Amino acid sequence: MRPRQMRPSTRPEPDPPRVPSAKSLAGSKDPHRRKILVLGLRRAGKTAIQEVVFHGMSPRDTFFIEPTFRVSKEDVNTIIPLQLWDCPGGMPVENLDVLLDAFSTLVFVIDIQDEYSHAISKLVHLMAMVYTVHPLINIEVFVHKAESMSEDYKIDNFRQLQERVYDETIDHPLPLENLQITFHLTSVYDHTIYEAWSRVIQKLIPPLAALENLLNVLCSNSGLSKAFLFDIKTLTHVAADESPPDATTYGLCCEYIQTLLQFSNLYKYPQSSRTHQPLPPPQLTSTHTPSSSIPARKGTQPLSIPNSKTSRPPPANSTHSSAPSTLSNTSVDLDPADSRVWSTSSVRLKPQTTLAYWEITNQLSLVALIRSETYEASQGLIDYNVTFFRKAIHRIVDIEKAKWPSGD
Amino acid sequence: MKKKVLLMGNHDTGSGKTSMRSIIFSNNLASATSRFGATIDVEMNHVRFLGSLVLNLWDCGGQETFLDSYLASQRNTIFRDVGVLIYVFDVETRDFERDISYYIECLDACRKNSPEADIFVLIHKMDLVTGGKRERTRAFELKKRELDKYSGSTPIKMFGTSIWDETLYKAWSRIVHTLIPNAPLLSSHLTSFAKICSAIEIVLFERTTFLIIARSGTSTGDLDDVIPPEAGPDSDPNVINPERFEKVSQLIKAFKVSCSRMQEQFHSMEIRFPNYTAVLELMTTNTYVMAIVADPNVQTATLRLNIRLARERFEELQAGSAG
Ligand SMILES: Nc1nc2c(ncn2[C@@H]2O[C@H](COP(=O)(O)OP(=O)(O)OP(=O)(O)O)[C@@H](O)[C@H]2O)c(=O)[nH]1
Ligand SMILES: Nc1nc2c(ncn2[C@@H]2O[C@H](COP(=O)(O)OP(=O)(O)OP(=O)(O)O)[C@@H](O)[C@H]2O)c(=O)[nH]1
Ligand SMILES: [Mg+2]
Ligand SMILES: [Mg+2]
């Protein structure tokens, strides 16, 4: 496993800056910051897609966004440092004060409701420009405002638009079809915008393979059927395990995190208010105290590992003989990952799925789908595996952080 | 027990009656309501609430031709045997005068035909008022003061609502609360149950609507009887959101709808955050209970066990609540 090669870090993890620097601030010069250029015609939704994902603006409030008149650069810290360049609609890229090869990614937003031939010729023109200076740039086309159309109609439109772009690139004198272009169907009114940004950002994350690998190991050791590592501030997923992704599942995980965050906002009791009373007796002092039915609950002690064989769950998903086993045998050393209480949560659905949530770092959380039988039978073991997963993630994050300039 | 609930209000572009009904009782999301067409005449729905209480909802189309006929030829059918009248105004109406004149007539017809009916007024679509909370309060008070003139001797409860936030749950919880006779008893049991669990507070929600049935910490059972939870000596009361109960209703209701998209049903939830622990699960066949605990020594397993042990008692209590 790759993380083993990485040097263990002993310094406590610095708090990642959670709030991106003020909007109008010209972004920092730091070369590690991957730059993303957001372009498109006027009112395509360029500012909205950034406000909703990176500032948590409610989709309905995007209605009041003013048109953008000048390029605004904004630093955003997800697992890696990014810089978003929001441009006025239809602005020619020649007006930018840097060359196109400064950017890792070009996001091009097209309003699906518009007559889009103008947008397509703009896009193809742009492709021709980047082809000569920066053919390796990631071009990400957001076919946006998709929620405004019925399911069939929007899929048709999406396909048609891609064909039109393809035809025009084929006809072009330059071999534009060699550029890396990806199309996303998006809307700020549902999770599709988070999904699209996840895909865009994932391409820029150097240790992505290591993260995915960790998730795969965790899934097979703990009988998880699907796991996402989320950046909770932006609700994008930094990585997912290799099982086939599914839009509904991802959407539900997004909403789960949103629900949890809003819920915890309601109960922001100050830490000091916690009283340390002895455990109350697990009984109700009413006339109804059944004597027989105090069930022993398994799995609430996270250290019940030695007899893990007894709590072995039934094979969860057939592909691997998914008996939970410990994730790692690393000796437990002092680690920032141990030094605080991490939030956890779970939601039981009927008939068979449990959603589970673990806070991993201040910024990242793990959300997984598990068969409820598996979760109930081996919750302790899964929690235990997650502590190792957490340590590995902390190491990766620290190594990435070490590359950031210190002033950040 | 069966209760006839009239949903009325006039506004040619729709004051939002069908929208609220479908969000509260039919698991629709607010965003889905923009596709609703105008209600033609009266749409009747029976919804079961807390098991044995049946709400007979009459969603009355608000276009003037319909209202005119409710007040004339259909007068008796509409206004007879009304348990609750909910009259809905659009806060941004272009013709408040005309809205009021219909309101006065409906109020009169209702009081004459069903003198026992509880009457509520909702000033709806509050989200459309530009500005912040202050502007919304001002707009609400302005309308309320005007409408109070026509209330007569008995004051009429008015709420500002919007399908886009928790105010919808706040108003409807208060409305259905008038139909639950033993709410004070439920409330006092929740208060002692909270003590047993070392919980800061415990709230009981109706299972399908997620409206608030009762909560700990009120002696009267009145949902607006605000006693801040015991959050420790040096806690800042401003930190505790006074709207938290209806916010939870709104949050969990929306989350439930999302879960059903996965062909699964929401069943229960646990949250273990560093500063509090929450358990939300079925209490009785028709209610959910939410327990909030700040004591880090209390395990969720213990809470769940306590809930399980209390289940039978609450089934009994609740059996008495829907008459
Ligand atoms: N229906 C729908 N409308 C959207 C969506 N995203 C943005 N909009 C609306 O599109 C309009 C324009 O959004 P902006 O973000 O200002 O667009 P822009 O591309 O930044 O515009 P300029 O800066 O003027 O070029 C706003 O009214 C948004 O509410 C979406 O996903 N669906
Ligand atoms: N902004 C806003 N719009 C709302 C609200 N409630 C409902 N609406 C919208 O108002 C429109 C009309 O809603 P309906 O629920 O059909 O209104 P109605 O009172 O049933 O109308 P009739 O059946 O004709 O009497 C819909 O487009 C809703 O989305 C609200 O709280 N705020
Ligand atoms: Mg803009
Ligand atoms: Mg209607």
Side-chain angles (χ1 to χ4, degrees):
Chain A
M1 207 168 49
R2 207 164 308 185
R4 227 185 316 128
Q5 299 158 234
M6 299 178 164
R7 72 175 170 80
S9 159
T10 44
R11 87 192 142 85
E13 192 206 8
D15 249 22
R18 304 196 112 202
V19 185
S21 49
K23 248 231 106 163
S24 52
L25 264 183
S28 59
K29 295 258 153 46
D30 133 39
H32 275 94
R33 228 166 244 292
R34 312 297 295 268
K35 294 185 179 54
I36 300 179
L37 182 62
V38 182
L39 292 170
L41 297 186
R42 214 168 269 170
R43 289 189 67 74
K46 301 177 293 299
T47 308
I49 60 169
Q50 296 166 71
E51 285 293 338
V52 168
V53 173
F54 300 105
H55 298 125
M57 180 185 276
S58 119
R60 276 162 42 81
D61 291 342
T62 63
F63 190 75
F64 303 104
I65 294 177
E66 305 267 324
T68 309
F69 288 115
R70 49 187 206 87
V71 179
S72 97
K73 305 167 196 174
E74 182 190 9
D75 289 355
V76 168
N77 296 320
T78 64
I79 192 169
I80 50 160
L82 299 174
Q83 190 174 89
L84 299 171
W85 290 47
D86 185 17
C87 299
M91 186 193 79
V93 282
E94 290 85 346
N95 293 6
L96 287 172
D97 53 8
V98 295
L99 293 175
L100 282 173
D101 62 1
F103 297 95
S104 309
T105 303
L106 171 71
V107 172
F108 194 85
V109 186
I110 300 178
D111 183 342
I112 197 171
Q113 299 164 306
D114 269 3
E115 204 289 291
Y116 38 70
S117 46
H118 184 46
I120 290 177
S121 54
K122 264 263 187 231
L123 172 63
V124 173
H125 175 72
L126 258 170
M127 289 168 72
M129 287 182 66
V130 293
Y131 186 83
T132 50
V133 291
H134 187 17
L136 291 179
I137 198 170
N138 297 306
I139 302 172
E140 312 278 355
V141 180
F142 285 19
V143 182
H144 193 53
K145 310 195 187 180
E147 95 293 339
S148 61
M149 289 187 179
S150 74
E151 203 60 34
D152 295 348
Y153 195 55
K154 99 178 141 200
I155 300 291
D156 279 352
N157 260 279
F158 187 52
R159 201 167 295 144
Q160 225 176 56
L161 191 145
Q162 290 183 60
E163 272 162 20
R164 292 263 305 269
V165 174
Y166 184 72
D167 290 347
E168 295 212 14
T169 53
I170 291 291
D171 293 344
H172 202 275
L174 290 169
L176 298 184
E177 65 276 13
N178 294 339
L179 288 169
Q180 328 232 7
I181 183 164
T182 314
F183 293 84
H184 311 262
L185 201 50
T186 59
S187 164
V188 295
Y189 288 96
D190 53 42
H191 66 271
T192 52
I193 193 64
Y194 300 104
E195 173 88 50
W197 274 112
S198 303
R199 306 253 172 240
V200 170
I201 295 170
Q202 278 173 21
K203 289 186 190 158
L204 307 177
I205 297 177
L208 180 65
L211 295 174
E212 286 175 343
N213 193 16
L214 279 170
L215 282 162
N216 288 339
V217 172
L218 180 70
C219 281
S220 63
N221 283 339
S222 305
L224 313 181
S225 36
K226 181 82 207 164
F228 297 98
L229 188 61
F230 269 93
D231 179 277
I232 52 169
K233 211 182 113 302
T234 60
L235 288 183
T236 54
H237 65 286
V238 165
D241 74 305
E242 67 196 348
S243 68
D246 144 23
T248 339
T249 307
Y250 174 69
L252 184 61
C253 291
C254 279
E255 276 172 67
Y256 181 25
I257 295 184
Q258 270 172 323
T259 305
L260 279 177
L261 296 181
Q262 292 182 36
F263 198 101
S264 64
N265 270 340
L266 299 176
Y267 285 99
K268 271 193 206 146
Y269 288 101
Q271 209 80 17
S272 59
S273 74
R274 301 174 65 172
T275 50
H276 291 264
Q277 294 163 348
L279 268 178
Q283 294 172 355
L284 188 65
T285 54
S286 80
T287 49
H288 300 269
T289 312
S291 46
S292 58
S293 67
I294 298 181
R297 264 187 60 104
K298 271 188 222 160
T300 43
Q301 293 82 24
L303 284 170
S304 63
I305 303 310
N307 50 15
S308 68
K309 285 190 192 74
T310 58
S311 59
R312 188 172 288 227
N317 35 13
S318 43
T319 47
H320 24 61
S321 66
S322 67
S325 57
T326 55
L327 185 64
S328 155
N329 290 320
T330 325
S331 66
V332 184
D333 49 1
L334 209 66
D335 196 299
D338 296 324
S339 63
R340 51 166 280 198
V341 184
W342 299 98
S343 304
T344 61
S345 165
S346 63
V347 170
R348 173 87 156 85
L349 305 179
K350 286 252 160 131
Q352 57 180 21
T353 308
T354 290
L355 290 170
Y357 168 98
W358 293 267
E359 190 182 14
I360 298 297
T361 72
N362 288 332
Q363 201 172 0
L364 300 175
S365 288
L366 173 71
V367 177
L369 276 83
I370 319 167
R371 283 181 71 95
S372 297
E373 299 144 50
T374 312
Y375 185 71
E376 267 148 40
S378 18
Q379 193 187 341
L381 183 56
I382 297 170
D383 282 341
Y384 185 76
N385 285 345
V386 169
T387 57
F388 285 99
F389 175 79
R390 179 178 294 119
K391 277 183 203 169
I393 297 291
H394 274 244
R395 250 166 238 157
I396 293 178
V397 169
D398 285 345
I399 288 163
E400 283 305 305
K401 280 269 166 60
K403 297 182 194 161
W404 299 21
S406 51
D408 215 19
Chain B
M1 190 175 64
K2 221 167 161 172
K3 280 272 183 182
K4 176 169 164 186
V5 178
L6 277 190
L7 253 175
M8 294 196 116
N10 75 297
H11 194 260
D12 285 340
T13 52
S15 54
K17 300 177 291 298
T18 308
S19 304
M20 8 184 157
R21 164 174 75 81
S22 74
I23 293 169
I24 299 276
F25 297 102
S26 319
N27 293 326
N28 265 309
L29 290 176
S31 53
T33 64
S34 58
R35 291 192 284 271
F36 289 1
T39 305
I40 305 303
D41 201 49
V42 181
E43 251 176 53
M44 273 185 248
N45 275 279
H46 292 262
V47 293
R48 196 167 273 285
F49 189 84
L50 272 183
S52 56
L53 180 62
V54 176
L55 302 182
N56 191 1
L57 283 178
W58 291 41
D59 177 359
C60 307
Q63 291 172 62
E64 292 192 2
T65 45
F66 299 131
L67 270 153
D68 291 337
S69 109
Y70 306 148
L71 288 164
S73 58
Q74 296 189 62
R75 194 177 181 96
N76 277 330
T77 11
I78 297 276
F79 293 101
R80 204 177 43 209
D81 301 324
V82 177
V84 180
L85 166 67
I86 304 168
Y87 204 93
V88 185
F89 287 91
D90 181 334
V91 70
E92 295 282 81
T93 179
R94 260 169 295 159
D95 194 348
F96 193 44
E97 295 296 309
R98 188 198 52 188
D99 293 356
I100 287 183
S101 66
Y102 275 108
Y103 169 65
I104 295 170
E105 288 194 56
C106 289
L107 199 62
D108 182 56
C110 180
R111 282 190 165 149
K112 290 218 170 88
N113 288 277
S114 307
E116 303 283 284
D118 282 314
I119 298 168
F120 295 90
V121 166
L122 306 183
I123 314 288
H124 193 54
K125 305 199 187 180
M126 290 300 293
D127 59 284
L128 295 179
V129 177
T130 45
K133 203 172 174 124
R134 246 217 345 262
E135 284 76 13
R136 285 200 294 278
T137 312
R138 171 131 35 86
F140 173 73
E141 287 300 333
L142 219 69
K143 293 268 188 293
K144 181 175 187 304
R145 208 170 313 139
E146 189 62 27
L147 293 171
D148 275 339
K149 292 183 194 156
Y150 310 102
S151 295
S153 51
T154 40
I156 289 175
K157 279 218 160 155
M158 300 194 193
F159 298 95
T161 52
S162 163
I163 56 171
W164 294 103
D165 58 35
E166 76 286 351
T167 52
L168 184 69
Y169 288 90
K170 178 165 182 167
W172 279 84
S173 290
R174 269 90 190 140
I175 292 170
V176 297
H177 213 252
T178 57
L179 305 174
I180 307 169
N182 68 345
L185 189 63
L186 278 170
S187 201
S188 75
H189 272 76
L190 285 178
T191 305
S192 43
F193 186 46
K195 284 216 182 74
I196 291 163
C197 301
S198 306
I200 295 175
E201 58 195 14
I202 295 194
V203 190
L204 204 59
F205 300 97
E206 200 274 334
R207 182 175 184 168
T208 48
T209 57
F210 251 85
L211 294 174
I212 304 157
I213 301 296
R215 61 179 172 82
S216 64
T218 73
S219 46
T220 54
D222 183 349
L223 295 178
D224 291 310
D225 178 3
V226 184
I227 298 172
E230 295 167 40
D234 46 11
S235 68
D236 175 0
N238 297 325
V239 179
I240 303 157
N241 190 325
E243 257 92 53
R244 61 193 177 283
F245 310 109
E246 29 282 327
K247 284 216 154 111
V248 170
S249 290
Q250 189 204 3
L251 268 177
I252 302 296
K253 188 74 180 294
F255 186 56
K256 269 179 75 178
V257 176
S258 314
C259 293
S260 59
R261 256 186 263 133
M262 275 235 336
Q263 319 301 327
E264 298 241 10
Q265 300 301 315
F266 176 88
H267 188 254
S268 66
M269 171 147 112
E270 278 189 21
I271 303 179
R272 295 166 298 268
F273 274 39
N275 51 342
Y276 75 92
T277 301
V279 165
L280 179 70
E281 75 164 285
L282 281 176
M283 178 59 120
T284 65
T285 28
N286 308 303
T287 56
Y288 267 98
V289 68
M290 177 180 77
I292 305 283
V293 176
D295 180 348
N297 295 318
V298 177
Q299 303 279 325
T300 51
T302 318
L303 272 174
R304 297 194 134 177
L305 182 56
N306 276 331
I307 291 169
R308 206 170 317 152
L309 295 174
R311 198 157 278 160
E312 207 179 321
R313 180 88 189 97
F314 276 89
E315 288 282 7
E316 279 175 17
L317 276 171
Q318 191 210 301
S321 70

